[in-house]
Amino acid sequence: MTIAGVVTGADERARCGWVGADAEYQRYHDEEWGTPLHGDRALYEKMSLEGFQAGLSWITILRKRPAFREAFAGFDPAVVAEFTDADVERLMNDAGIVRNRLKIHAAISNAQLVLEMAPGELDALMWSFAPAPRDAALATLAEVPAVTPESEAMSKTLRKRGFRFVGATTMYALMQSSGMVDDHVAGCWRALA
């Protein structure tokens, strides 16, 4: 049942309406989405997966995440930065991931850029764009933005440093999923009180 942007699952727990009845989406919503995420490696993974998601649904990426993690060495930037043309071809032949040459190359070059940064710098940089927490949850899904001035600024800064597949909409999705913003809507069990 859906009421004002909230869906109630078989477990009778009210969640943000985008979750629907999919068990994997419910787990992701309940355990990850909107939970603060820190660490260069974790945020590099999130950046990479959000980049691969561009033009696709998040559930597609979520279901492929184990294969992505295996294919990209657990998203260890030090390992991915050393990927060769042979690795790119291996990835292009891996049906478990999204086989997009531009996105694969972006993940590799982004890893190289992460390695050029001091430890903790990516985390600090990305979190520097987190807006102040809202005083109250958004009332409906219609109020959830696709892009904000903060995500535009994050995108611009990352692109200036050479990062790719980090557009403002993609970076806002990263901000949501990594807890930089809390977009759980009113009535969702995870929403702001």
Side-chain angles (χ1 to χ4, degrees), residues 138-153:
L138 298 174
T140 67
L141 289 175
E143 293 180 18
V144 176
V147 65
T148 63
E150 293 87 358
S151 72
E152 289 175 340

Side-chain angles (χ1 to χ4, degrees), residues 56-181:
L56 303 171
S57 69
W58 180 248
I59 193 65
T60 299
I61 301 304
L62 193 58
R63 289 183 177 139
K64 290 179 176 280
R65 185 166 61 175
F68 269 110
R69 286 177 170 164
E70 184 176 335
F72 283 90
F75 288 98
D76 181 342
V79 176
V80 177
E82 297 296 323
F83 278 10
T84 65
D85 289 342
D87 290 303
V88 171
E89 292 311 311
R90 170 184 58 83
L91 294 167
M92 287 297 296
N93 289 305
D94 187 341
I97 67 166
V98 173
R99 296 175 287 183
N100 179 301
R101 193 173 300 275
L102 292 175
K103 293 176 181 182
I104 290 168
H105 279 291
I108 296 167
S109 65
N110 288 350
Q112 293 164 349
L113 292 168
V114 170
L115 290 183
E116 292 174 7
M117 302 172 86
E121 185 178 351
L122 180 65
D123 183 298
L125 175 67
M126 295 182 94
W127 275 89
S128 74
F129 294 99
R134 291 188 181 95
D135 292 331
L138 298 174
T140 67
L141 289 175
E143 293 180 18
V144 176
V147 65
T148 63
E150 293 87 358
S151 72
E152 289 175 340
M154 179 190 284
S155 172
K156 182 177 179 180
T157 298
L158 289 170
R159 282 184 285 126
K160 188 173 181 178
R161 287 178 173 239
F163 286 90
R164 296 187 293 166
F165 282 93
V166 292
T169 302
T170 299
M171 290 302 93
Y172 192 70
L174 180 147
M175 294 174 88
Q176 291 173 308
S177 66
S178 64
M180 294 176 194
V181 295

